[in-house]
């Protein structure tokens, strides 16, 4: 039976000590020990079982990280028990039960929970613990079992009735009698309704938690909140309602942070999904996933607090964008610059996260980037002379996408929740008076400020929180110029982007020349080169042309 949550947080110092004792018991080098420990990863769209690298073991033992997946814990406990997590043939039922009791004991000791037999993933792990299956077999067998479980159709009242039936203990007893794969298939077929409902419960509990959370708007339903607060998950959040909740712990944790759940609520979600609760040792970034006074987890101000206190691990907010190739990043920035050279207000109509994530997560957004890249590639020479003309159609496509985003949110841009959320990102849209106090060309300055902030997030993957530092410029240099000045031809674009960031994201005061553009005064009292949107657009497209020739 599934264990209750014993306490909100757990200190895993003893857990790390236990892992070290296992390797010591068998006198294994880190590399050999790692070969015995399993974890699941995605390869070519399917989950597979792989062993752990020696560096992973080293990080565990040094406290830099700890194993957080349930399959890794199970394999550790089995190696502790018998030296192996392999399949065992011709073992008595009593011996299989003994193996299971030992692993269950270790799980309760270090995780504060046990496996939930109504979840098909946990049921398979139970049989791996008992030696019926090897860990390597589990992903493939699970895919087979999901086909059985997915063949369930129930009316709402039937779901409610089956959900309240006390089947967990009976199901566990049936699993304890399994000796072969055929036995297991028979158990699944006989109880497929309960497996189906057991998995769906995770998503339903998350929705219920959202509806009762003190941190979420009462008039914003769950789906709308996902689209507003967690746009990167707008096409994938349905996984939490599937008969097989095939999401990783990191996926679920990041989703909860985006949805602004409290630390206590996140722990409950992880526990319901059969995953380890948040780590409570200061060596782990998970220790710092907690409210900052009245500031809720996942808000922009929460990220700003982490940046201000130099807490490592929270700086990368847009990891999928950061992982784009340089040419796709430049295509994105070219499209943004083109749009800003045209209509003034179009980019103000949508929350920043939505704007950034749409081109990575949504098919139509990815297609726009691909089209932009192809246009840049095909018309490299023409781009140098007719930048705006080449891209006009794609800017129109961008504007259509933004209009669709607003409609998908079911709000107009004056809606209360949308306005409040956009206000959180005001640093991107409004240049502070301390940097530019003039009234003339203020909206123009705000447009360039927006582009500078977006380019910062695209290049570094970070949320702009009001400051830039030396590491940000190093990231920019590495992205453009490359390791050990590999792409020296990109040195000039690097200088231009550095000036843009310094001028519009740094602390220096900006000045305006009506005929030239914006500039800052250097320490030697000389003015820098001027920057305007036309200059930005020309330099970004020229940068793409240079990158194409590398």
């Amino acid at each position: 039976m599934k264990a209750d949550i014993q306490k909100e947080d757990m200190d895993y110092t003893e857990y790390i000590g236990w892992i070290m004792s296992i390797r010591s018991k068998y006198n294994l080098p880190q590399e050999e020990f790692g070969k015995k420990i399993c974890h699941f990863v995605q390869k070519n769209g399917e989950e597979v079982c792989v062993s752990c690298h020696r560096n992973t073991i080293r990080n565990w033992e040094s406290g830099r990280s700890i194993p957080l997946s349930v399959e890794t814990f199970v394999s550790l406990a089995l190696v502790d028990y018998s030296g192996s997590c392999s399949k065992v043939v011709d073992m008595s039922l009593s011996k299989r039960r003994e193996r299971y009791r030992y692993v269950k004991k270790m799980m309760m000791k270090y995780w504060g929970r046990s496996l939930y037999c109504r979840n098909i993933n946990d049921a398979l792990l139970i049989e791996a613990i008992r030696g019926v299956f090897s860990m390597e077999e589990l992903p493939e067998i699970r895919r087979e079992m999901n086909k059985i479980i997915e063949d369930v159709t129930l009316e709402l009242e039937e779901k409610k009735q089956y959900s309240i039936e006390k089947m967990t203990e009976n199901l566990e007893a049936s699993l304890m009698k399994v000796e072969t794969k055929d036995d297991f298939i028979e158990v699944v077929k006989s109880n497929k309704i309960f497996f189906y409902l057991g998995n769906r419960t995770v998503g339903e509990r998350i929705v219920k938690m959202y509806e009762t959370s003190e941190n979420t708007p009462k008039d914003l339903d769950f789906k709308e909140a996902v689209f507003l607060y967690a746009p990167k998950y707008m096409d994938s959040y349905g996984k939490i309602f599937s008969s097989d909740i095939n999401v990783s712990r990191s996926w679920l944790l990041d989703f909860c942070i985006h949805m602004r759940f409290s630390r206590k609520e996140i722990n409950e979600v992880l526990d319901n999904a059969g995953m380890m609760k948040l780590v409570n040792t200061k060596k782990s970034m998970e220790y710092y996933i907690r409210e900052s006074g009245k500031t809720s987890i996942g808000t922009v101000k929460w990220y700003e607090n982490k940046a201000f206190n130099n807490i490592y691990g929270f700086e990368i907010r847009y990891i999928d964008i950061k992982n784009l190739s340089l040419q796709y990043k430049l295509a994105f920035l070219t499209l943004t610059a083109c749009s800003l050279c045209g209509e003034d207000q179009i980019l103000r109509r949508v929350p920043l996260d939505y704007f950034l994530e749409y081109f990575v997560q949504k098919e139509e957004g990815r297609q726009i980037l691909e089209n932009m890249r192809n246009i840049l590639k095909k018309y490299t020479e023409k781009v140098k002379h007719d930048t705006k003309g080449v891209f006009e159609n794609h800017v129109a496509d961008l504007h259509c996408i933004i209009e669709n985003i607003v409609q998908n949110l079911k709000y107009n841009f004056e809606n209360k929740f949308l306005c409040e959320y956009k206000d959180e990102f005001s640093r991107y849209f409004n240049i502070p008076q301390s940097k530019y106090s003039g009234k003339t060309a203020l909206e123009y300055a705000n447009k360039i400020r927006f582009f500078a902030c977006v380019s910062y997030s695209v290049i570094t993957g970070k949320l702009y929180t009001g400051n830039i530092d030396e590491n940000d410029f190093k990231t920019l240099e590495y992205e453009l110029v490359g390791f050990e000045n590999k792409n020296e031809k990109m040195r000039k674009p690097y200088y231009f982007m550095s000036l843009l960031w310094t001028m519009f994201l740094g602390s220096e005061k900006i000045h305006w020349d009506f005929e030239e553009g914006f500039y800052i005064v250097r320490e030697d009292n000389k003015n820098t080169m001027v920057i305007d949107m036309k200059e930005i657009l020309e330099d970004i497209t020229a940068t793409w042309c240079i990158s194409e020739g590398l």
Side-chain angles (χ1 to χ4, degrees), residues 286-473:
E286 291 188 8
Y287 175 86
Y288 301 96
I289 300 176
R290 57 183 75 237
E291 297 79 355
S292 302
K294 294 184 179 180
T295 303
S296 299
I297 291 172
T299 60
V300 171
K301 188 167 183 60
W302 184 76
Y303 278 98
E304 289 177 355
N305 288 341
K306 302 303 176 192
F308 179 78
N309 291 297
N310 296 314
I311 297 175
Y312 175 79
F314 296 94
E315 62 272 22
I316 304 301
R317 180 181 176 97
Y318 306 108
I319 185 65
D320 296 319
I321 296 170
K322 187 178 187 300
N323 289 338
L324 288 173
S325 70
L326 176 60
Q327 290 198 339
Y328 279 107
K329 289 177 181 177
L330 291 173
F332 183 96
L333 294 177
T334 302
L335 191 61
T336 305
C338 262
S339 181
L340 290 168
C341 281
E343 188 176 340
D344 287 352
Q345 298 297 321
I346 189 70
L347 294 179
R348 290 178 171 271
R349 299 193 62 194
V350 65
L352 180 77
D353 278 4
Y354 227 108
F355 174 68
L356 290 173
E357 298 287 0
Y358 205 89
F359 294 91
V360 181
Q361 307 297 340
K362 295 291 285 185
E363 177 59 35
E364 54 264 47
R366 291 193 294 268
Q367 190 59 54
I368 287 287
L369 280 191
E370 183 63 33
N371 291 343
M372 275 297 294
R373 182 174 175 273
N374 290 336
I375 288 291
L376 282 163
K377 191 171 183 177
K378 187 174 181 180
Y379 296 103
T380 298
E381 290 303 318
K382 186 178 179 181
V383 163
K384 295 177 182 177
H385 303 99
D386 186 21
T387 302
K388 191 172 184 297
V390 171
F391 303 131
E392 278 182 349
N393 290 339
H394 296 285
V395 173
D397 288 341
L398 171 64
H399 291 181
C400 288
I401 280 181
I402 292 173
E403 293 296 341
N404 288 336
I405 288 171
V406 175
Q407 290 177 12
N408 286 339
L409 285 170
K410 298 180 181 177
Y411 298 121
N412 60 52
F413 65 98
E414 295 176 346
N415 180 275
K416 172 187 172 185
F417 301 119
L418 195 53
C419 284
E420 287 177 355
Y421 190 56
K422 285 169 60 181
D423 284 346
E424 291 188 41
F425 295 93
S426 60
R427 292 186 190 278
Y428 280 70
F429 297 101
N430 301 311
I431 196 165
Q433 284 192 344
S434 59
K435 280 192 64 61
Y436 183 70
S437 56
K439 300 292 184 183
T440 305
L442 177 59
E443 279 303 308
Y444 195 29
N446 285 335
K447 288 170 69 171
I448 301 179
R449 164 79 166 200
F450 178 78
F451 179 85
C453 289
V454 168
S455 68
Y456 173 85
S457 292
V458 168
I459 296 295
T460 68
K462 294 181 180 180
L463 178 73
Y464 177 65
T465 57
N467 296 289
I468 52 174
D469 58 30
E470 184 180 346
N471 289 329
D472 296 325
F473 287 105

Side-chain angles (χ1 to χ4, degrees), residues 133-184:
F133 303 133
S134 68
M135 295 293 289
E136 290 79 7
E137 291 178 291
L138 296 191
E140 180 59 36
I141 297 174
R142 187 180 61 148
R143 286 189 280 272
E144 293 179 40
M145 297 306 104
N146 283 333
K147 291 178 182 178
I148 298 173
I149 297 169
E150 288 166 1
D151 186 28
V152 172
T153 54
L154 292 174
E155 298 295 330
L156 180 60
E157 288 305 314
E158 291 179 300
K159 288 181 182 180
K160 291 180 179 178
Q161 180 59 38
Y162 280 113
S163 294
I164 63 176
E165 286 195 30
K166 304 293 185 180
M167 275 296 298
T168 303
E169 293 180 5
N170 293 338
L171 184 53
E172 185 176 42
S174 297
L175 291 171
M176 291 301 108
K177 297 175 184 177
V178 169
E179 295 187 84
T180 66
K181 181 179 177 180
D182 288 341
D183 293 343
F184 185 74

Side-chain angles (χ1 to χ4, degrees), residues 171 174-175 178 182-192 195:
L171 184 53
S174 297
L175 291 171
V178 169
D182 288 341
D183 293 343
F184 185 74
I185 291 174
E186 188 57 39
V187 172
V188 173
K189 285 181 176 179
S190 300
N191 298 276
K192 64 181 182 179
F195 282 117

